Amino acid sequence: CKLRSSLYPTHSPDVVKEMELSFFTLGVQAINKEVESGTDATISCVITGITNDLDSVIWRKSGTDVTTLSGSNYVVSAGTYGSNSQTTTLTVKAAANTADSTYTCAITSNEWLETNKETTVALNVYSVGLEDKTVTTATDQD
């Protein structure tokens, strides 16, 4: 097997002993959610094909970085690396979860030379309401 280095392209490839190579591809999967309006909801992005922690994770809503708003209506977890993946989550508190919203999970991975790789995550809400109904019963008529 002969390999050529992308870091040193002018060097000629060397003959290398048998080796096993593992190839990874970077993947980001959005985990959308549908929840009742006015309840806490957690959405996430699963990042695969990595061999170490992400360098940064930012969650946005309509372009606004909600990562810096943590502790108010948003709680961000960058997640923990393990088994070539990392899951980052955004918990939207009940007070901010009143209408369908689109969030963006933006990751940076120096390993993959990716800066601000964005994935859209949907948070859809529904309402449960009671309808006022009047019930009448028939009476015996003589």
Side-chain angles (χ1 to χ4, degrees):
C1 176
K2 291 185 179 187
L3 300 175
R4 183 177 301 274
S5 170
S6 61
L7 295 175
Y8 306 101
T10 58
H11 289 82
S12 63
D14 292 327
V15 175
V16 179
K17 292 184 179 181
E18 242 182 79
M19 61 172 27
E20 184 177 318
L21 300 174
S22 296
F23 293 96
F24 293 105
T25 56
L26 180 67
V28 182
Q29 178 186 6
I31 308 297
N32 302 313
K33 201 74 163 237
E34 185 171 4
V35 298
E36 186 176 355
S37 177
T39 61
D40 288 0
T42 300
I43 54 178
S44 57
C45 279
V46 179
I47 298 85
T48 57
I50 55 178
T51 61
N52 53 47
D53 287 316
L54 294 170
D55 295 285
S56 74
V57 174
I58 297 172
W59 283 90
R60 296 184 183 103
K61 178 182 179 185
S62 303
T64 301
D65 180 354
V66 299
T67 306
T68 59
L69 303 176
S70 291
S72 57
N73 286 323
Y74 303 96
V75 178
V76 174
S77 170
T80 305
Y81 167 79
S83 300
N84 301 109
S85 70
Q86 185 170 334
T87 301
T88 176
T89 61
L90 172 66
T91 299
V92 181
K93 298 290 188 163
N97 189 25
T98 57
D100 290 351
S101 299
T102 300
Y103 293 86
T104 303
C105 166
I107 64 153
T108 296
S109 171
N110 291 336
E111 170 186 13
W112 283 96
L113 304 176
E114 288 283 356
T115 302
N116 202 34
K117 181 176 179 68
E118 296 183 334
T119 301
T120 301
V121 186
L123 177 56
N124 298 317
V125 300
Y126 60 88
S127 295
V128 177
L130 299 174
E131 275 189 42
D132 192 17
K133 297 284 185 180
T134 304
V135 177
T136 57
T137 60
T139 58
D140 289 338
Q141 295 180 4
D142 290 330

